[in-house]
Amino acid sequence: MSPISVNALLELALDLSHSLTSDDRFSRLLAHIRKAIRSDAVVLLSVQGDYLKPLALQGLSSDTLGRRFGIAEHPRFQQICQSQSPVRFAASSPLPDPYDGLLLALEGDLPVHSCMGLPLRDQQRLIGVLTLDSLTPGQFDDIPERTLEIISAMSAAALKNALTLESLQQHASHARAVVEELTQEALTKDGGELIGDSALMQRLKQEIQIVASSGFTALIQGETGVGKELVARTIHHQSGRSNGPLVYVNCAALPENLIESELFGHVKGAFTGASQSRAGKFMMADGGSLFLDEIGELPLAVQSKLLRALQNQEIQPVGQDQSQQVDVRIIAATNRDLQQECDNGNFRSDLYHRLSVYPLHVPALRQRGRDVILLAGFFLELMRRKLGLQQIKFASDVMPWLQQYDWPGNVRELEHCISRAALRARSRQHQAIIVIGRSDIGELHSSQPTDRSLTDRSPTVQETDATSGKLAIADTHTSLKLATEDFQRRLIIQTLQQNNHNWAASARQLQTDRANLTRLAKRLGLTVTRQLQQDQPI
Ligand SMILES: Nc1ncnc2c1ncn2[C@@H]1O[C@H](COP(=O)(O)OP(=O)(O)OP(=O)(O)O)[C@@H](O)[C@H]1O
Ligand SMILES: [Mg+2]
């Protein structure tokens, strides 16, 4: 037999590189082998522990694909697996044939026939076996060694690629499953349900349903603490991308010089400290949604890059020349009046129009009537579970008390208020059913709607001692954590007052940065809104 021709080899290589799936690649490989070496059956098997698993075959009954051959049980396979080179079995070999009765060309036992096995190795590691059978005795005797070497190498490479691809696909689907699990968990954490059936909330829920399925960019606006983030999560969850990731970016919390790389990623060496290439949030959200929280805080320079990404569904990592395609749905939120920000020159109006394809307004809690009761019940049940209580409820005069208040910090303020009240009530009572009284709720201060630049609603906090300028200790019977938080709250208020509500100046005085300060203020339940008469917005 003549050696395998260069043309045949080239054809095989090209054919393999064109195949998309492993199954296709294997059947093309076997077809080429049968063209080069006349045989009645060819089988490609992969090593799985002590077994050989057929991956593709020609000439044998298809049920063979479901069989697993124990290597130790089949002496022919054992010999092939132990060998470093192709093994030819003489027609007179007394060793039993693993394919006895399986050959399509023949009913019953295999008569005297030729048989050959090629061990397939990746470096030294055995990864598979290729077997060839022919009913013509001596069929494989004069195949040049070089031809067998080439066929072994090509088959091993195809098998190795398929195994690598399979393991990558397994990793990717595992990662996807983890993302789905985490997205689901984040959504259902503490309920995940938008509580409220006031007319305004019903309308909002309808709009969420419409926008969710549309795939449009959504802009969520509303006062602080109204539930904008929860609305964003609900949109993602109800959209066709719910199995994809929901990636969160707080535009206010990132230092200006890092935002671009955070959003779009960077390549190694793009700037000092970029020792590794890093995917940005856009890339992470590919196939899912990107939630740009506090979008009103985005610096103008980054706004124009974001606009480009939205227009072209294309991003350019910092330091990279080419751009990359991404498939991301944007959900943005802000408690600023973006139209006003555009008029003031703080926000690009083209970006604003691009974002507000479907604007949603989340109403303030004071506009939602009896929703306060539903939400109070919802948060109370959450606290019952968190504290492991049998039962906890409100005294009869508490609900009217909660309803008469206008909740400038909205749902978040209500949530904090109920959590604090539940803790207080529990520390006083030891019976199975804990009752929250008016005293546990404490004072609820009515807001000044015209100037609510910063409102501290914590009932345990006393105002700063204005005459001495000192921060007094609020309550000596409180825990260290609560006392520390009280102190931080009052220190921030005092510093802001001293600095004319200028956050940057206050942050400097407190030796922290502005983003950290606003984040801390929010965590402490301080209501942060814009001071209109200030030239620097907060
Ligand atoms: N309708 C609602 N049902 C149940 N929980 C809610 C609802 N609205 C808000 N919450 C809860 O109130 C808290 C504040 O909501 P969220 O963080 O979504 O507000 P936000 O508008 O994003 O606030 P900010 O402007 O300060 O970022 C969260 O714990 C959220 O789960
Ligand atoms: Mg938010």
Side-chain angles (χ1 to χ4, degrees):
M1 186 180 165
S2 59
I4 192 165
S5 73
V6 174
N7 266 352
L9 257 182
L10 210 61
E11 221 180 288
L12 169 59
L14 284 175
D15 220 13
L16 291 183
S17 70
H18 286 153
S19 311
L20 288 178
T21 63
S22 299
D23 284 350
D24 184 38
R25 196 172 292 136
F26 293 153
S27 61
R28 288 178 195 227
L29 174 76
L30 297 193
H32 280 283
I33 291 172
R34 275 180 100 182
K35 245 200 269 175
I37 304 173
R38 287 179 64 91
S39 47
D40 291 296
V42 198
V43 187
L44 176 69
L45 305 104
S46 77
V47 173
Q48 299 217 323
D50 297 334
Y51 289 83
L52 288 176
K53 171 187 167 189
L55 294 177
L57 52 82
Q58 291 187 2
L60 291 190
S61 61
S62 49
D63 67 277
T64 312
L65 281 176
R67 296 175 189 250
R68 303 291 176 263
F69 299 97
I71 298 172
E73 296 161 33
H74 295 281
R76 290 192 189 217
F77 279 143
Q78 215 169 4
Q79 264 193 40
I80 302 167
C81 290
Q82 282 163 0
S83 169
Q84 294 297 322
S85 54
V87 182
R88 291 180 180 85
F89 294 94
S92 58
S93 169
L95 296 177
D97 194 293
Y99 304 143
D100 222 356
L102 303 177
L103 207 69
L104 286 179
L106 194 83
E107 276 291 314
D109 290 351
L110 276 177
V112 171
H113 74 296
S114 319
C115 174
M116 179 167 67
L118 279 57
L120 308 179
R121 295 184 184 275
D122 171 27
Q123 314 283 2
Q124 273 312 299
R125 192 171 63 94
L126 184 78
I127 55 172
V129 163
L130 184 78
T131 61
L132 294 105
D133 286 83
S134 167
L135 292 173
T136 315
Q139 174 73 21
F140 305 134
D141 289 355
D142 55 354
I143 302 173
E145 206 57 30
R146 183 76 189 136
T147 299
L148 291 181
E149 271 171 22
I150 290 170
I151 287 179
S152 291
M154 297 290 258
S155 308
L159 181 58
K160 187 186 165 194
N161 282 347
L163 295 176
T164 312
L165 209 67
E166 194 179 307
S167 113
L168 288 177
Q169 276 162 349
Q170 260 169 17
H171 269 102
S173 72
H174 173 72
R176 222 178 6 253
V178 171
V179 165
E180 279 171 25
E181 194 60 37
L182 292 178
T183 309
Q184 187 59 30
E185 189 197 300
L187 184 89
T188 50
K189 184 172 147 264
D190 291 350
E193 185 189 341
L194 267 174
I195 303 291
D197 58 13
S198 58
L200 285 176
M201 281 307 278
Q202 284 185 23
R203 173 123 52 88
L204 178 67
K205 285 181 191 176
Q206 274 170 5
E207 289 188 330
I208 289 174
Q209 228 174 6
I210 296 169
V211 74
S213 55
S214 74
F216 287 159
T217 299
L219 176 64
I220 307 164
Q221 291 180 282
E223 289 178 14
T224 184
V226 284
K228 296 185 293 296
E229 183 172 340
L230 192 56
V231 168
R233 291 188 184 284
T234 312
I235 293 176
H236 174 76
H237 185 61
Q238 292 185 6
S239 76
R241 296 168 175 262
S242 59
N243 284 338
L246 170 63
V247 176
Y248 175 87
V249 182
N250 184 345
C251 302
L254 296 165
E256 192 165 335
N257 56 341
L258 286 185
I259 296 185
E260 191 183 342
S261 130
E262 188 74 14
L263 286 178
F264 307 118
H266 63 249
V267 293
K268 190 174 168 181
F271 47 83
T272 325
S275 54
Q276 294 288 333
S277 292
R278 187 158 166 254
K281 300 277 187 177
F282 260 90
M283 214 57 211
M284 290 182 204
D286 200 19
S289 313
L290 182 62
F291 176 37
L292 298 175
D293 201 5
E294 318 244 20
I295 187 123
E297 315 299 315
L298 209 60
L300 278 165
V302 186
Q303 287 177 27
S304 55
K305 294 191 169 129
L306 176 62
L307 179 65
R308 203 157 357 115
L310 288 182
Q311 276 166 344
N312 308 336
Q313 285 279 304
E314 225 177 58
I315 53 157
Q316 193 165 8
V318 179
Q320 184 173 301
D321 295 335
Q322 317 90 325
S323 41
Q324 280 170 261
Q325 283 289 323
V326 280
D327 168 26
V328 170
R329 192 247 186 109
I330 301 288
I331 306 172
T334 180
N335 52 22
R336 292 191 180 216
D337 178 347
L338 273 197
Q339 180 63 67
Q340 185 66 47
E341 293 297 311
C342 291
D343 296 345
N344 295 345
N346 296 327
F347 205 83
R348 289 183 67 121
S349 57
D350 44 8
L351 178 59
Y352 170 60
H353 292 300
R354 188 91 209 172
L355 288 171
S356 55
V357 181
Y358 205 113
L360 290 170
H361 178 76
V362 187
L365 185 54
R366 62 183 165 278
Q367 300 171 303
R368 300 189 208 169
R370 287 173 55 84
D371 281 1
V372 173
I373 299 178
L374 300 184
L375 282 160
F378 174 74
F379 292 132
L380 199 58
E381 177 60 19
L382 276 187
M383 281 308 279
R384 188 193 67 73
R385 259 185 276 146
K386 270 186 197 159
L387 300 177
L389 303 176
Q390 187 185 326
Q391 190 53 278
I392 182 163
K393 61 178 198 170
F394 294 114
S396 57
D397 57 345
V398 168
M399 276 301 176
W401 180 239
L402 295 179
Q403 276 184 285
Q404 55 78 40
Y405 181 53
D406 68 354
W407 301 105
N410 292 293
V411 186
R412 181 180 294 108
E413 187 184 2
L414 175 64
E415 184 180 4
H416 288 173
C417 168
I418 305 279
S419 308
R420 274 195 304 263
L423 282 176
R424 282 203 202 104
R426 188 190 59 166
S427 69
R428 281 192 300 106
Q429 302 166 40
H430 300 286
Q431 60 271 43
I433 299 180
I434 310 276
V435 181
I436 294 183
R438 271 266 299 264
S439 62
D440 297 314
I441 300 284
E443 278 306 308
L444 295 170
H445 301 275
S446 243
S447 69
Q448 308 289 319
T450 46
D451 179 12
R452 228 176 347 99
S453 62
L454 191 144
T455 323
D456 181 10
R457 297 286 153 205
S458 166
T460 59
V461 174
Q462 292 166 1
E463 287 304 316
T464 305
D465 183 340
T467 45
S468 67
K470 295 219 177 83
L471 293 165
I473 293 174
D475 177 358
T476 49
H477 296 287
T478 188
S479 73
L480 179 63
K481 184 166 182 286
L482 284 179
T484 312
E485 286 181 358
D486 268 358
F487 180 79
Q488 287 178 320
R489 228 176 256 127
R490 283 176 293 122
L491 180 63
I492 293 174
I493 295 171
Q494 178 180 293
T495 314
L496 281 164
Q497 282 165 351
Q498 285 168 357
N499 287 284
N500 238 350
H501 293 274
N502 181 317
W503 284 84
S506 304
R508 268 195 302 278
Q509 182 175 327
L510 293 171
Q511 294 170 31
T512 179
D513 66 45
R514 182 173 163 275
N516 278 338
L517 186 62
T518 48
R519 211 178 8 238
L520 177 63
K522 273 193 182 168
R523 190 171 61 73
L524 294 170
L526 295 175
T527 307
V528 181
T529 55
R530 209 158 58 92
Q531 177 88 354
L532 290 173
Q533 66 270 38
Q534 298 297 316
D535 35 17
Q536 163 159 13
I538 54 177

